[in-house]
Amino acid sequence: MAHPQVAAFARLANGGAKPTRAIAGQNTMFTRTIHDMAYDNVHDEIIVPSFYAFAILTFRGDANGNVAPVRKIWGPHTRLKNPQAVAVDGVHGEIFVPQGNQVLVFPREADGDVAPIRVVEGPDTGLGAGRVTIDPVHNLLITANAQGEAAEGGGGGGRGGGRRVAAIRIFDRLANGNAKPLRVITGEATKDAWLMTMYPEKGVIFAVVRPGNTGGLEGDISGRYLLDDYVGVWSVFDDGNVPPRFTIGGPALLLKDARGIAVDPRSQDVMVSDKTLNAIFRFHVPEAFN
């Protein structure tokens, strides 16, 4: 039985370090597993999607123990259904939830059965949206769907209007409805890009690439044991068939089943969790931030 929690470690923790604190317990509304989380460094809040509760949960940044969320978005008007990923824009005060072939957008302070203020959806979007990250500096909404999350739409075209090509799609941050992406990054790497995060100040996209990823709602849940995975680095200004500018942690190096990614721009470090290795790796890669 899984023990869902959000555990915090010292920044320089190494080896078999114990967490300094953990959010866990019945009051948290965490269910069997947690697939993603986001940190709002403007308001010091942690946002967690609750897959089986059909909810988005917000906790104080210093939360510890069996604590209830300070806000929760849930109910029939939210249109949430098994949310597994989330992103937050603390600058503009919005929460983004990729869900199937749409991205739901809520006010950051939404609480209860609140309808989204925008929904990006429709054939011109080209979505399935597996993951999303926000660039509040360049006002961009960036989505990724690995090849297993792509689907037939009936036609052609990576910018929408047909087959949903697995790619990184870059939209205006305020996109709504059947909006076309501004740019679409394609290629061997982006078709397997899944988890994402941003360094907005430089317009840098960090995406976990999982070659042969079966995609789907929960990604490849059968386990991965080869040294295939890695982090690819792109620019928000890339367009078309563009390979990653840098690769981190592989391929054929260290990562086997990458399931989470975060960046520390001050230290110029990239952190990646690996399910098979049951570890969190910290890579110092100043070249990727510059």
Side-chain angles (χ1 to χ4, degrees):
M1 182 67 180
H3 176 53
Q5 61 177 321
V6 173
F9 295 84
R11 186 180 67 85
L12 297 178
N14 196 19
K18 294 183 178 180
T20 57
R21 56 193 170 88
I23 308 172
Q26 187 172 2
N27 291 334
T28 66
M29 290 183 62
F30 293 163
T31 51
R32 180 177 62 86
T33 185
I34 296 172
H35 296 154
D36 196 16
M37 59 173 284
Y39 176 64
D40 180 351
N41 62 359
V42 176
H43 302 94
D44 189 25
E45 291 183 331
I46 298 167
I47 299 95
V48 180
S50 185
F51 187 83
Y52 291 108
F54 289 24
I56 301 297
L57 313 174
T58 299
F59 297 86
R60 298 190 314 273
D62 62 354
N64 190 21
N66 185 17
V67 295
V70 293
R71 295 185 301 279
K72 53 183 180 288
I73 303 172
W74 66 337
H77 292 100
T78 67
R79 298 177 60 176
L80 292 170
K81 183 178 180 182
N82 298 123
Q84 68 152 355
V86 68
V88 62
D89 177 359
V91 174
H92 300 100
E94 293 183 329
I95 292 172
F96 296 75
V97 183
Q99 183 172 272
N101 300 327
Q102 59 187 202
V103 177
L104 311 178
V105 187
F106 299 91
R108 183 188 67 85
E109 296 183 326
D111 193 15
D113 188 10
V114 179
I117 55 175
R118 297 190 302 280
V119 180
V120 184
E121 62 180 342
D124 288 343
T125 67
L127 298 174
R131 288 295 190 272
V132 63
T133 189
I134 306 301
D135 181 346
V137 175
H138 301 94
N139 278 313
L140 298 172
L141 158 67
I142 301 153
T143 71
N145 62 289
Q147 58 184 331
E149 291 166 322
E152 295 288 350
R159 293 187 186 274
R163 179 180 172 83
R164 292 191 289 272
V165 177
I168 295 174
R169 288 176 172 79
I170 301 172
F171 295 85
D172 186 283
R173 181 182 61 82
L174 296 175
N176 192 22
N178 189 24
K180 291 185 178 181
L182 305 172
R183 292 178 288 282
V184 179
I185 308 174
T186 59
E188 282 300 308
T190 59
K191 75 179 184 181
D192 291 314
W194 192 39
L195 310 158
M196 286 194 307
T197 192
M198 276 291 307
Y199 176 37
E201 286 75 8
K202 295 288 187 177
V204 180
I205 303 168
F206 297 85
V208 168
V209 179
R210 295 160 52 87
N213 179 21
T214 58
L217 280 178
E218 300 191 41
D220 188 343
I221 62 174
S222 61
R224 296 170 64 84
Y225 304 100
L226 302 178
L227 295 172
D228 287 341
D229 292 8
Y230 61 95
V231 174
V233 181
W234 286 270
S235 166
V236 297
F237 301 107
D238 288 338
D239 194 11
N241 189 345
V242 180
R245 297 169 181 233
F246 304 97
T247 61
I248 302 166
L253 183 60
L254 181 62
L255 299 173
K256 295 183 177 181
D257 192 354
R259 292 297 181 109
I261 184 169
V263 295
D264 181 354
R266 182 179 298 179
S267 301
Q268 298 182 315
D269 292 346
V270 176
M271 293 151 285
V272 184
S273 63
D274 190 296
K275 179 181 177 181
T276 297
L277 299 171
N278 196 28
I280 298 173
F281 298 100
R282 190 178 187 106
F283 302 93
H284 183 57
V285 283
E287 64 273 19
F289 290 87
N290 294 322

